Amino acid sequence: MGNRVIEPANRALKGELIIPGDKSVSHRSVMLSALGNTPVHITNFLPSADCLSTVAAMRALGARVELISDTELVVQGNGLHGLREPDTILDAGNSGTTLRLLMGLLAPQSFPVVFTGDTSLHRRPMGRVIKPLKEMGATIVGRAENTKLPITIVPAEKPLHGITYVMPVASAQVKSAILLSGLFADGKTTVIEPYPSRNHTELMLESFGVRVSHEDNRISLMAPDRLTAPAELIVPGDISSAAFWLVAASIVPGSELLLKNVGINETRTGIIEVLEAMGARLSIMNKRKSGEEQVADILVKASQLHGTSFGADIIPRLVDEIPAIAVAAMFAKGDTIITGAGELRVKETDRIDAIYTQFVKLGGNIEAKEDGLIIHGGTELKRAKCFSHDDHRMAMSLAIAGLAGNGVEIEEPDCVAISYPKFYDELDRLIK
Ligand code: S3P
């Protein structure tokens, strides 16, 4: 498809948006349901390309997944030990979560699996998952010294054994891969996180009857006999998708948007803390439980933002929101300094480089560092043609920068389908 032009907003953004289902929780809902013995009815599932990669993989592994509507599924598994050898290579597409979590789930199985993915996923580091899984006794072979796709898991001849693993990077995907392998391992499996990362795997395992202990930064489990599937799983709205509207409504003058059903699990709310520190006007309303997760409605009103600083301790709680925060920072008075964010270099694209090269084309005054960014806010933005790097969060960040600035032409805009298929429809609805 062609480029997409976003015109500058000629009026305030007003109204309500229902935030689509959380990508991380959607993946986990299908994976864990496939390990139960009874059907699970999943609602508010995110029907995005990444989550559909997980659905295809779980079907190939023997789970029955019935699509009732695009956001409603019924998954029927064959029990904890009921996965079967797939007939084909498993293709994770663009999805790091599909690949890394499934490596954890499949390393202990007694059948071989071959994984592939798109070009972006072939570039991303997988050694961070392979290393602990090998320590647990798995045999995994990958390209480039066992760090890259394509990857083969060789059947486990004997059960894996639990380990205590001190994670060198705070990564929910690595943590989850180890815990999922631990479901099949002898003895106790423990991961120690440098900083708290999203805990959806732990919460959902608990709703499947697995006891997960959490003391400070140590998370442990023992292999259960079975998973007891809940009849219903409700996916909360994705705060990472809400992030684009939180920023857009903050920086388009006069805006007032109500974002409904936003997941506010505290391992994900770094974006709220940072925007509030920048002077954003957010009201968190109607807090409630949605399954095992917390959700709320967030009212955001436009305000003059100012720069802020944040670093390694909060990064895992807002790692996917940094491109959107960088847009907010371009509209803020003063400097925003982001440190300890080296992980951005190994996302769907090198996001430090992408933010720097593309936002500078729009007139941003930005310095790229090895592990962060300095954004000198308040420059006059201009219209430009910018490349999304085929990265969904870059495309959406460019869109809101153009909307609040002087327009943008986005090359490779369709990648928004990875996490937010209706993003442009929602944008068109707000500005028409
Ligand atoms: C995710 C964890 C994060 C995040 C990704 C989804 C997850 O990745 O960036 O979009 O669902 O566990 P890392 O674990 O690599 O930080």
Side-chain angles (χ1 to χ4, degrees):
M1 278 263 285
N3 298 348
R4 182 172 278 260
V5 174
I6 307 288
E7 296 296 342
N10 53 13
R11 63 176 181 85
L13 307 178
K14 299 254 176 177
E16 286 185 10
L17 278 157
I18 299 174
I19 300 303
D22 187 277
K23 178 160 79 68
S24 294
V25 177
S26 294
H27 284 297
R28 288 155 172 83
S29 70
V30 179
M31 289 180 192
L32 291 193
S33 296
L35 302 177
N37 290 299
T38 51
V40 184
H41 180 214
I42 304 170
T43 51
N44 201 33
F45 181 80
L46 175 70
S48 76
D50 268 11
C51 299
L52 295 177
S53 293
T54 289
V55 167
M58 297 321 295
R59 279 183 169 149
L61 291 160
R64 267 165 293 156
V65 183
E66 189 192 340
L67 304 178
I68 297 183
S69 71
D70 61 347
T71 59
E72 205 181 335
L73 318 176
V74 175
V75 179
Q76 166 78 64
N78 302 310
L80 183 58
H81 300 282
L83 295 176
R84 66 155 167 77
E85 181 175 346
D87 296 334
T88 55
I89 291 174
L90 297 184
D91 186 349
N94 191 246
S95 175
T97 309
T98 307
L99 177 59
R100 293 195 176 115
L101 270 57
L102 285 186
M103 283 167 68
L105 193 57
L106 299 179
Q109 309 298 330
S110 55
F111 51 79
V113 182
V114 182
F115 284 107
T116 189
D118 72 2
T119 12
S120 155
L121 204 55
H122 274 76
R123 284 194 291 260
R124 298 181 66 187
M126 298 302 147
R128 53 180 59 194
V129 178
I130 295 175
K131 181 171 179 284
L133 296 179
K134 285 181 85 169
E135 282 180 27
M136 294 174 81
T139 307
I140 305 179
V141 190
R143 185 175 60 84
E145 297 179 354
N146 278 356
T147 62
K148 301 267 168 78
L149 279 177
I151 286 168
T152 302
I153 296 182
V154 178
E157 278 169 19
K158 53 182 188 173
L160 303 194
H161 49 85
I163 54 169
T164 296
Y165 191 70
V166 182
M167 295 203 307
V169 286
S171 160
Q173 293 178 353
V174 176
K175 170 177 66 176
S176 300
I178 298 168
L179 292 176
L180 292 176
S181 257
L183 294 177
F184 304 90
D186 284 340
K188 188 168 165 182
T189 299
T190 301
V191 284
I192 301 177
E193 299 193 278
Y195 299 107
S197 67
R198 65 194 69 195
N199 63 358
H200 305 300
T201 303
E202 298 90 303
L203 290 180
M204 203 180 285
L205 279 170
E206 281 170 358
S207 67
F208 278 77
V210 181
R211 285 189 50 195
V212 183
S213 80
H214 201 154
E215 278 167 45
D216 301 325
N217 55 349
R218 297 171 73 93
I219 301 135
S220 306
L221 58 72
M222 300 279 290
D225 294 334
R226 70 183 68 80
L227 257 53
T228 314
E232 298 275 345
L233 277 178
I234 310 166
V235 179
D238 198 331
I239 193 167
S240 299
S241 297
F244 302 104
W245 308 120
L246 290 172
V247 171
S250 293
I251 60 180
V252 174
S255 296
E256 187 168 330
L257 278 185
L258 181 63
L259 310 180
K260 299 191 87 165
N261 193 36
V262 184
I264 52 159
N265 176 319
E266 65 184 18
T267 62
R268 298 286 299 280
T269 46
I271 172 85
I272 292 178
E273 287 159 42
V274 165
L275 286 177
E276 284 182 336
M278 295 177 83
R281 288 164 70 199
L282 311 179
S283 314
I284 320 277
M285 306 182 312
N286 195 13
K287 278 192 194 173
R288 57 206 183 267
K289 272 270 199 194
S290 168
E292 69 272 34
E293 299 276 353
Q294 279 271 330
V295 297
D297 302 329
I298 305 181
L299 180 69
V300 47
K301 295 183 182 172
S303 58
Q304 175 58 60
L305 301 181
H306 49 82
T308 189
S309 300
F310 58 92
D313 55 333
I314 199 174
I315 297 295
R317 297 178 51 236
L318 50 66
V319 66
D320 292 338
E321 287 68 79
I322 291 175
I325 292 172
V327 176
M330 287 199 293
F331 287 82
K333 277 195 181 135
D335 295 347
T336 295
I337 301 168
I338 306 173
T339 53
E343 277 297 294
L344 292 191
R345 294 211 177 265
V346 290
K347 292 296 178 191
E348 286 80 334
T349 189
D350 174 343
R351 286 187 179 154
I352 292 181
D353 178 66
I355 289 170
Y356 170 69
T357 54
Q358 305 310 307
F359 290 10
V360 163
K361 289 185 195 166
L362 290 173
N365 181 357
I366 299 180
E367 294 173 52
K369 303 284 176 195
E370 195 40 47
D371 73 340
L373 292 155
I374 302 177
I375 299 153
H376 306 285
T379 51
E380 179 82 15
L381 291 201
K382 55 188 185 217
R383 194 183 187 93
K385 191 192 273 190
C386 297
F387 178 40
S388 71
H389 286 243
D390 210 10
D391 176 335
H392 53 131
R393 299 200 201 280
M394 281 304 302
M396 291 185 273
S397 300
L398 287 167
I400 59 168
L403 183 74
N406 266 310
V408 63
E409 179 175 345
I410 306 172
E411 295 176 288
E412 295 204 14
D414 299 328
C415 48
V416 302
I418 290 296
S419 65
Y420 201 159
K422 298 211 166 111
F423 175 78
Y424 296 121
D425 297 340
E426 295 286 57
L427 186 60
D428 289 346
R429 184 171 68 78
L430 282 177
I431 57 177
K432 78 165 187 287

